[in-house]
Amino acid sequence: MTTDPLVVFTPSGKRGRFAIGTPVLTAARQLGVDLDSVCGGRGICSKCQITPGYGEFSKHGVTVQADALSEWNSVEARYDEKRGLKPGRRLGCQAKVMRDVVIDVPPESQVHKQVVRKAASARVIEMDPATKLYFVEVDEADMHEPSGDFERLARALSREWGIEGIRADLSLLSKLQPVLRKGKFQVTVALHRGHAGDAAQVLEIWPGLHESGLYGLAIDLGSTTIAAHLTDLVTGEVTASAGIMNPQIRFGEDLMSRVSYAMMNPGGDKEMTAAVREAIDTLAGEIAREAGIEPSLIVETVFVCNPVMHHLLLGIDPVELGQAPFALATSQSLSLGAKELDLNTLNPRAQVYILPCIAGHVGADCAAVALSEEPGKSEDLALIVDVGTNAEILLGDKSRVLACSSPTGPAFEGAQISSGQRAAPGAIEAIRIDPVTKEPRFRVIGCDKWSDEAGFFDEVGVGGITGICGSGIIEAVAELRLAGLLDESGLLGSAEATGTARMIPEGRTHAYLIHDGSAEGGPRITVTQGDIRAIQLAKSALYAGARLLMDERGVDRVDRVVLAGAFGAHISALHAMVLGMIPDVPLDKVTSAGNAAGTGARIALCNVAARREIERVVGEITKVETAIEPKFQEHFVAANAIPHKTDPFPELRKIVTLPLVGFNTGGDGGAEGGRRRRRR
């Protein structure tokens, strides 16, 4: 019997089998994938552009052949001739499924645009950026004093600002003389002075007094999301923030999948490098337009990222990071020209600084969190958790700081979840389940009302309720546990066992129905047993990583917990504790640091001394490698229970009562006791 081709959509992770010849747009609509189209599939609007991926995708269990989609047709050729399609793009309404295929839906083809959950956190930063503006009066050319205009500029900077020794590239020298004369030898220069003692470099020059500002980008390059903050280098103000999905998701949702793609597909690392560089360059142009500035005014960029993203950004094959001893090509900070990274939208002489990595799987993003939160200056023992596809964890006080990473996977960000989606309007972001009636009430992104409030459905609008994002699924699992619909082991009960018709059969397991929009053509949003398992695996990895650091310090408790990243800003401490994601502490000792990695990037962008400081601090942090620690598996297994198998979580139990239910009863579905039948 011939099996229909498998179609996997990224970044949503939704998949299904379709008959040969099914248009990609049809497959997307049947799976509820967020793919736009307004022309009825006639190839006119171009809203349904997609990018097929080719090669071996071990994460999805498919190998995509070159003929996975139908051949380029006349409609696509006509559209490409008239308006142009980016290389590798197809029209979803025209391309037909012929074999197994992985298809990426780029941001511009998605109806519901992403909400940037990594917004810039308010922070007072002492301004001393590496790049500053200097107004100088340069001596006019004199035939009796035979020096060049650049040398006279250097003398002016020395005389008026005490700056000794400058350099400039050929592109700057070629515009120097016209600008000097247009400004009547009064000019403003943007001068980049690195922290390593090198000669200052002239990045830009303007005639007269330049008053249009000077800008830098702080970029948090995550596995799933790329967040950028456009920052005024004079005032430190964040003038615009924007984010996009990392296009590398189509090569693999987690880091090891991307390393595997590079290993199995010759040139795969170069594909991923090109994809992420193009995305960052496009993002830079978009954020400049949003702020109403010329992109040429962006003269500096600071990057923070995990080690795999670090290597792929730099064009380094990450293969060594996929196997012990997880060796980095380089762990030190890097200073280079933006053009070396194909960032052509910025000023042509823009500079890039990349924070140092701590170790093989603890990257520059963790260093940025350390710069922002300063655990090494803490009087009490602080656990700082930056949750993403790969969690970065710091534990420390004034005596010592430890760090590790833990492979949580993308479930916390809505991926690999049956009704999951990225954070976009229409996504359920918060939920409460009544412990008596078992009925849910929820809130979606883009609407301030809860679903049981008058006017909610009018306000949600035509787009309706589309899915559930990371914060929503985390709260949903915790609420199911609090409502007695989920037992300690993570099993969902049946309708008979729980007394609610919202528990619906799904194969040999059950699912909880949050919302049924099928009557209006919308989705049925459920939490399935598979979703619970995905969250259990993610939270167990996170908790186990934290416990390893605590073991290294010889402690069973920490004094406080800081939640960083998009997760930290949008999840209640209570739900995190009910899940057992973090060690037990008093609830008022759990705080949010917002996007700490992004804040660390902004600090390094705005203060050159901070770069020296984080390079020093990174050298003093002790790295714990979770992959080779024997106790990691032990902690992981114990943490599979909700909240935990052996830790009693006394602080949590002071404020909530966790129902004593058990659904693994050998088939009778009873809620009491939860005894297993003895095998005979």
Side-chain angles (χ1 to χ4, degrees):
M1 185 177 72
T2 304
T3 304
D4 289 333
L6 176 67
V7 182
V8 181
F9 285 95
T10 63
S12 68
K14 294 182 178 180
R15 58 173 57 205
R17 292 193 177 275
F18 295 89
I20 292 173
T22 302
V24 170
L25 180 60
T26 301
R29 284 176 169 168
Q30 289 183 18
L31 289 174
V33 172
D34 193 16
L35 179 58
D36 204 355
S37 177
V38 297
C39 73
R42 291 175 292 169
I44 299 171
C45 72
S46 83
K47 298 286 187 183
C48 65
Q49 290 185 35
I50 51 97
T51 305
Y54 299 101
E56 188 168 344
F57 295 85
S58 56
K59 179 73 176 182
H60 305 303
V62 296
T63 299
V64 183
Q65 307 291 344
D67 58 352
L69 295 180
S70 58
E71 292 184 3
W72 183 267
N73 69 15
S74 59
V75 175
E76 291 173 296
R78 185 176 68 247
Y79 183 86
D80 187 42
E81 181 184 344
K82 290 184 179 298
R83 297 192 190 176
L85 282 170
K86 288 184 178 179
R89 289 277 178 91
R90 299 290 303 272
L91 296 181
C93 63
Q94 302 300 311
K96 294 179 173 61
V97 176
M98 307 306 290
R99 292 173 177 250
D100 293 350
V101 65
V102 175
I103 293 172
D104 183 58
V105 181
E108 58 267 35
S109 299
Q110 296 166 8
V111 181
H112 302 92
K113 303 308 179 189
Q114 183 186 4
V115 176
V116 182
R117 305 307 290 265
K118 294 184 177 181
S121 305
R123 184 66 168 262
V124 177
I125 302 172
E126 181 183 345
M127 292 301 296
D128 184 21
T131 306
K132 296 180 183 178
L133 292 172
Y134 297 90
F135 176 77
V136 290
E137 295 189 32
V138 180
D139 295 334
E140 293 190 29
D142 183 347
M143 62 188 301
H144 299 294
E145 200 279 299
S147 62
D149 285 342
F150 183 72
E151 287 70 32
R152 278 191 290 277
L153 174 63
R155 283 205 300 269
L157 284 164
S158 173
R159 181 176 65 243
E160 297 178 28
W161 294 97
I163 296 169
E164 301 295 339
I166 61 171
R167 58 192 173 92
D169 70 9
L170 189 56
S171 66
L172 188 286
L173 289 175
S174 68
K175 66 186 293 185
L176 173 62
Q177 290 188 311
V179 171
L180 275 172
R181 281 147 185 83
K182 184 177 181 180
K184 298 179 180 176
F185 289 88
Q186 293 184 338
V187 294
T188 304
V189 295
L191 204 62
H192 178 79
R193 306 173 74 188
H195 63 293
D198 298 332
Q201 182 176 355
V202 182
L203 301 184
E204 194 53 271
I205 183 167
W206 297 270
L209 181 63
H210 171 73
E211 297 179 297
S212 299
L214 196 66
Y215 297 88
L217 281 174
I219 297 180
D220 180 3
L221 173 53
S223 309
T224 304
T225 307
I226 306 171
H229 307 296
L230 182 68
T231 305
D232 189 316
L233 291 180
V234 178
T235 66
E237 178 189 358
V238 176
T239 56
S241 292
I244 55 172
M245 299 296 283
N246 187 330
Q248 293 175 344
I249 286 177
R250 69 176 181 266
F251 303 102
E253 290 172 326
D254 56 63
L255 297 176
M256 287 303 100
S257 295
R258 293 180 206 175
V259 173
S260 174
Y261 183 85
M263 287 177 172
M264 296 179 177
N265 298 279
D269 59 310
K270 293 179 174 59
E271 282 185 82
M272 290 186 279
T273 293
V276 79
R277 287 182 179 181
E278 181 184 352
I280 293 166
D281 198 43
T282 301
L283 180 61
E286 289 175 354
I287 203 170
R289 279 193 296 276
E290 181 185 333
I293 69 161
E294 288 295 324
S296 62
L297 292 175
I298 304 174
V299 296
E300 194 165 4
T301 300
V302 168
F303 281 99
V304 299
C305 43
N306 63 57
V308 173
M309 292 300 96
H310 174 276
H311 278 37
L312 288 172
L313 172 67
L314 293 171
I316 299 170
D317 190 334
V319 60
E320 293 298 333
L321 293 172
Q323 54 201 0
F326 313 112
L328 289 153
T330 178
S331 60
Q332 66 185 17
S333 66
L334 294 169
S335 297
L336 57 156
K339 279 200 172 295
E340 292 183 70
L341 301 181
D342 301 324
L343 303 182
N344 300 313
T345 299
L346 313 181
N347 185 284
R349 291 163 294 279
Q351 298 296 295
V352 167
Y353 176 76
I354 303 175
L355 271 70
C357 292
I358 296 173
H361 279 298
V362 184
D365 49 356
C366 192
V369 172
L371 179 59
S372 172
E373 298 307 305
E374 300 181 315
K377 296 181 180 179
S378 177
E379 295 290 344
D380 54 4
L381 189 60
L383 181 75
I384 303 167
V385 183
D386 189 3
V387 183
T389 308
N390 202 57
E392 312 275 5
I393 308 170
L394 292 160
L395 176 68
D397 54 20
K398 294 178 76 172
S399 65
R400 189 183 179 201
V401 178
L402 308 170
C404 76
S405 69
S406 203
T408 49
F412 286 151
E413 299 183 340
Q416 297 180 344
I417 301 298
S418 60
S419 297
Q421 66 166 89
R422 71 201 184 288
I428 294 173
E429 64 172 342
I431 183 170
R432 301 292 181 267
I433 299 175
D434 189 297
V436 177
T437 66
K438 316 300 184 187
E439 287 296 299
R441 54 194 290 266
F442 53 83
R443 198 174 63 225
V444 301
I445 295 173
C447 178
D448 293 331
K449 289 186 170 69
W450 286 81
S451 59
D452 59 349
E453 293 183 76
F456 168 80
F457 288 96
D458 293 331
E459 198 169 308
V460 167
V462 179
I465 302 153
T466 55
I468 188 165
C469 67
S471 61
I473 190 63
I474 290 166
E475 291 198 7
V477 176
E479 286 287 320
L480 287 167
R481 180 74 180 94
L482 288 170
L485 302 171
L486 182 73
D487 68 16
E488 180 189 60
S489 72
L491 278 174
L492 287 164
S494 65
E496 295 76 20
T498 60
T500 174
R502 285 194 175 270
M503 300 305 304
I504 56 177
E506 187 173 88
R508 299 177 64 184
T509 61
H510 300 90
Y512 179 77
L513 179 63
I514 297 176
H515 170 74
D516 188 353
S518 56
E520 295 80 34
R524 276 165 59 93
I525 299 171
T526 60
V527 179
T528 69
Q529 192 65 65
D531 298 338
I532 301 291
R533 291 298 182 227
I535 292 297
Q536 281 180 288
L537 291 173
K539 76 99 175 179
S540 298
L542 181 59
Y543 184 92
R547 279 297 319 187
L548 279 182
L549 297 188
M550 293 163 68
D551 289 348
E552 183 74 15
R553 281 295 299 255
V555 299
D556 290 321
R557 291 285 180 267
V558 298
D559 295 318
R560 60 187 175 94
V561 175
V562 180
L563 299 175
F567 164 80
H570 294 277
I571 298 293
S572 74
L574 175 63
H575 290 92
M577 200 73 75
V578 170
L579 266 187
M581 293 179 66
I582 53 178
D584 186 60
V585 294
L587 215 55
D588 62 357
K589 294 295 184 182
V590 183
T591 58
S592 169
N595 181 18
T599 300
R602 284 167 47 220
I603 293 170
L605 179 66
C606 294
N607 189 292
V608 70
R611 302 180 185 187
R612 286 190 293 269
E613 173 66 8
I614 194 56
E615 288 164 11
R616 181 192 65 79
V617 167
V618 162
E620 297 175 355
I621 292 176
T622 301
K623 168 64 168 56
V624 175
E625 180 52 69
T626 56
I628 59 173
E629 284 289 339
K631 289 200 73 174
F632 182 84
Q633 192 64 25
E634 179 185 325
H635 287 312
F636 181 87
V637 171
N640 252 247
I642 301 174
H644 199 271
K645 192 67 178 173
T646 55
D647 190 330
F649 273 67
E651 297 295 338
L652 174 65
R653 293 179 189 275
K654 288 178 184 177
I655 53 176
V656 299
T657 300
L658 297 173
L660 294 173
V661 295
F663 302 117
N664 191 3
T665 57
D668 65 8
E672 295 299 326
R675 293 179 189 163
R676 301 172 187 265
R677 287 183 176 175
R678 183 178 299 170
R679 292 182 178 176
R680 298 183 182 276

